[in-house]
Amino acid sequence: VLPKLEAASDRDEITSVLLDFLGAGFHRVILFVHSHNELKGHDARGEDLMVEAVRQVRIPSTGKSVFSEVLEAGRPYFGPMRETSKIDQAFSSALGGLKGNVLVLPIQVGTKVPLLVFAHGTTHPVDPHSIAELSTAVSTAIQRLIASMRRG
């Protein structure tokens, strides 16, 4: 997946490579765009997910939730879906209840986290080093695109 990210020529290609890769190991993968204190559903992979429905999802990025914690820390979370906050409870409920582990992966560009990926439903072990490598590769690819757009 890393060579594909290095070769990607636009943002949509980068996010498609990321979602396809995670979609091969997780039953559900949702990409959120983080802007104006809100996570907006952008794209998804998974048999039971409709991209048009995902695009209607809005999650506050302020207030207590696993999403806001990951955004603030800038580090991935892998473990059971937390249901201690109303935001987490509502999100889990909207997906029919989330059993097992989830991955919440921030994509950092500079000091901001413009993209956040949520993945659920894997039977594969998840290597924290590989997840960090993936996140860094996506961030680097986006930064490369931004730099080339500024030059061009």
Side-chain angles (χ1 to χ4, degrees):
V1 73
L2 300 181
K4 287 181 182 177
L5 287 169
E6 289 174 18
S9 60
D10 64 34
R11 185 194 69 205
D12 290 339
E13 188 177 355
I14 292 169
T15 58
S16 285
V17 168
L18 172 64
L19 292 177
D20 290 346
F21 176 74
L22 289 174
F26 289 88
H27 297 294
R28 296 173 171 150
V29 182
I30 301 172
L31 175 68
F32 293 98
V33 173
H34 179 226
S35 169
H36 305 292
N37 295 324
E38 186 175 65
L39 292 168
K40 299 173 187 165
H42 183 73
D43 201 353
R45 299 291 185 274
E47 288 181 22
D48 66 343
L49 295 176
M50 293 184 301
V51 173
E52 284 308 312
V54 165
R55 288 188 177 141
Q56 304 305 311
V57 174
R58 302 288 184 268
I59 300 171
S61 61
T62 57
K64 188 161 176 50
S65 73
V66 68
F67 301 103
S68 64
E69 290 170 21
V70 167
L71 288 167
E72 192 174 307
R75 288 187 309 275
Y77 169 78
F78 182 75
M81 181 64 187
R82 298 187 192 144
E83 295 197 18
T84 52
S85 78
K86 293 205 180 296
I87 293 169
D88 292 340
Q89 289 169 4
F91 185 76
S92 178
S93 178
L95 290 174
L98 296 171
K99 304 293 180 223
N101 290 328
V102 300
L103 172 66
V104 183
L105 179 67
I107 304 299
Q108 194 156 344
V109 178
T111 59
K112 298 187 187 307
V113 179
L115 301 174
L116 189 87
V117 179
F118 173 86
H120 171 255
T122 187
T123 55
H124 305 290
V126 173
D127 173 33
H129 178 72
S130 296
I131 292 298
E133 245 186 328
L134 176 65
S135 178
T136 299
V138 172
S139 296
T140 301
I142 292 171
Q143 288 173 328
R144 179 179 41 81
L145 283 179
I146 291 169
S148 71
M149 287 171 25
R150 286 183 181 152
R151 284 192 304 267

